[in-house]
Amino acid sequence: MGAFLLLATLAQGQAGAEEDVTLLRAREGAAALLRGQYDKAIAAYDQALQAKEIADFVEANIYSDRGIAKWRLKRTKEAVGDFNKSIELSAENPAVYNNRGNALIDLGHADEAVKDFDRAITLSPTYGPAYNNRGNAHMTLGQYAAAFQDFRKAVELMPTSAVPFNGRGKAHAELVRYHAAVRDFNRALALNAKYEPAYRNRAETYLVLGKYREAADDVTLALASQPEQPELLLMRARAYDGDKKYITALEDLNKAIELKPELAAAYIERGNVFTAVRRVDDGIGDYTRAIELDPKNVDAYALRASAKLQILAKEGEPAPADAALADVNQALLLAPDNALALRVRGNIYEALTRTDDAIADYRLALAKDPFQAESRMALMRLKQEVPPEEGTPLDAPVSDWVVREPSPGRFIASNPKYPALRADLEMFGSGKPKILEWSLMKDALAGIGLLRYYAGDLGQADEGSLEYVAIVDLYANKVVSIEPHSWGSNAAQWNWQAVSVVVTDPEGNANEIKLRKPKAARPVARQDDSWPGRVDRGREPRREGFEGGTREARKGGRRGGGGGGGIFNWLFQ
């Protein structure tokens, strides 16, 4: 029961002037708290607590609500003290445990916060905010699988709230299920189009997937209410850089550095942009500044080495390749397995005509990051065989597709017919993927392939296994999306359009995937809309150059939700 309703009810049964004043001040505090006037709320609650005799459950709610006001003012330790007093007076209120758990996360005690959320859920098994916030605590602890399960339950209990969908999306992203993450962020924003954390989180995910325009658009929306956020400006600059909009990227980077001059990552990104537009000296200057701010920044050394390689030799100075080699060796001293640094050293060795050394570094780079396009192309340029991913195939080939596990929990499907293509398969649970079917589309969707595979399970025996489909663009050599085919006995709906498909998962969430640009031409005859659609199992499309994107997930973002007690049972951020 919320405190406002509780106190209104108590007012009818209280007797005596002191009790009336106490309830009046408590109701004034509740009203101020609802309006966001936290200092005024605390003052009113202070006065209410001065009464000599207050019923325990009334006093407990006052402490709880005063704790919320203090939490909102970042007086977190004081807030925990108030929540402790509330629990001492009334130990059966789940909302107070939920509130204290949120405050403990802020104080860096996520492990203790989990215990509070556990208690809240024990007291109220259908208390959705506690599941959501326990998911946040698990995220803080790096326990992403547990967080995912908590957010799943929160979604079940609060299907009309954007907050748990945003949380589940973050868990998907941490578990390297980026396409699943986008689906959840889409759902969060469909429920609340002004929910800034979901725009920010979806933008980060789009960056990982190489969808730069979409990422830039999302960051712009996230910046709408507070435009001077240096980290978000940096994120948008990365998106603009990926989309080759260098002037706009520089504008954002200049602003980010103005707002936060110590942000080393902004100097690195601006160095990337300067180098891309052939202002190499400026780029080297920015990489140098980043190293001054962060002397152990591996990327800064590797990228400065790459930039130095582009400078023409000057009289009386070391040859550019020699100067570059010193930088990249420093990077590899800091991180011997860094794929970027290995690739850059390969470039340097190639410039020094040390071809065998270059080939060795390119191979090592690909072993560390099978999606690194530059090393793959370099080996092809040097007429070398591109090595397969490390690890033996998990199963017999299906239509020439095999799956390997180059690192624990990362599964990559490849096919010798498409040497430049790698499909990173998203998995659920602890199982390993198994290719089930490979189909080719035709007509307007020629060049699109559908790789259906077993994708694990959700951890509950009665829910059955999951099947997903990697939608592959064989012309661009990339995975366009990974979408559900079935969850146990519940099938997703695939509705094919002329140049796109709308996939509705078993929870009813729809996602449209645009596969080709629409053409002003005569309509393409369609078959039925059932899975998998227009299939041509015979003709193979032409294959062109590799198009790769970064696999580096950019971290960040605030917690998606909070909880409340007394008059507040939600308190989501």
Side-chain angles (χ1 to χ4, degrees), residues 76-299:
T76 313
K77 289 184 178 180
E78 294 179 45
V80 170
D82 275 354
F83 296 141
N84 290 343
K85 290 178 181 177
S86 179
I87 290 169
E88 289 173 9
L89 291 162
S90 178
E92 304 301 313
N93 188 340
V96 185
Y97 291 100
N98 180 65
N99 291 341
R100 190 172 68 177
N102 282 329
L104 288 170
I105 293 176
D106 288 344
L107 291 173
H109 302 301
D111 51 346
E112 293 300 316
V114 169
K115 297 176 184 178
D116 268 354
F117 298 131
D118 288 345
R119 180 60 177 160
I121 290 168
T122 299
L123 290 169
S124 179
T126 60
Y127 189 20
Y131 283 101
N132 182 85
N133 297 327
R134 190 172 68 179
N136 289 330
H138 284 309
M139 291 286 287
T140 302
L141 294 168
Q143 300 165 351
Y144 304 122
F148 170 72
Q149 294 296 344
D150 274 344
F151 289 128
R152 276 190 72 211
K153 186 64 176 179
V155 164
E156 176 190 325
L157 293 170
M158 301 183 294
T160 61
S161 170
V163 174
F165 284 100
N166 179 64
R168 193 171 70 177
K170 290 191 296 180
H172 277 310
E174 292 291 352
L175 292 165
V176 200
R177 299 196 292 252
Y178 300 115
H179 297 279
V182 168
R183 292 184 68 88
D184 271 345
F185 297 140
N186 290 347
R187 181 59 176 161
L189 291 167
L191 290 166
N192 183 355
K194 296 182 179 180
Y195 191 47
E196 183 266 339
Y199 284 114
R200 181 180 59 248
N201 293 327
R202 190 172 67 176
E204 288 184 275
T205 309
Y206 278 147
L207 275 175
V208 176
L209 294 172
K211 296 186 176 183
Y212 301 116
R213 293 183 184 180
E214 293 89 340
D217 290 344
D218 273 357
V219 179
T220 298
L221 291 167
L223 283 166
S225 59
Q226 294 181 315
E228 295 193 346
Q229 299 184 63
E231 285 80 7
L232 283 182
L233 290 167
L234 169 60
M235 190 191 304
R236 189 169 66 180
R238 285 174 171 154
Y240 285 142
D241 181 11
D243 200 25
K244 296 182 170 57
K245 295 180 177 177
Y246 301 122
I247 294 176
T248 347
L250 281 175
E251 291 173 355
D252 274 354
L253 290 165
N254 291 339
K255 184 64 175 177
I257 289 170
E258 177 189 334
L259 292 169
K260 193 172 183 179
E262 72 279 11
L263 188 59
Y267 287 99
I268 292 175
E269 184 59 36
R270 194 170 68 175
N272 293 342
V273 175
F274 280 144
T275 305
V277 298
R278 302 186 185 280
R279 291 173 56 179
V280 181
D281 287 333
D282 289 332
I284 291 172
D286 271 352
Y287 295 138
T288 301
R289 179 59 180 150
I291 291 168
E292 291 169 354
L293 291 166
D294 183 5
K296 294 185 178 181
N297 194 301
V298 175
D299 286 354

Side-chain angles (χ1 to χ4, degrees), residues 422-470:
R422 295 294 182 273
D424 210 342
L425 302 182
E426 298 182 358
M427 285 296 295
F428 296 77
S430 58
K432 298 183 185 295
K434 180 181 177 62
I435 303 297
L436 301 175
E437 182 184 16
W438 169 243
S439 306
L440 292 172
M441 308 300 288
K442 64 179 183 179
D443 299 332
L445 295 179
I448 298 296
L450 306 174
L451 188 65
R452 182 165 63 90
Y453 67 98
Y454 164 75
D457 58 63
L458 293 172
Q460 302 293 331
D462 58 346
E463 292 183 305
S465 61
L466 306 178
E467 292 182 12
Y468 273 69
V469 178

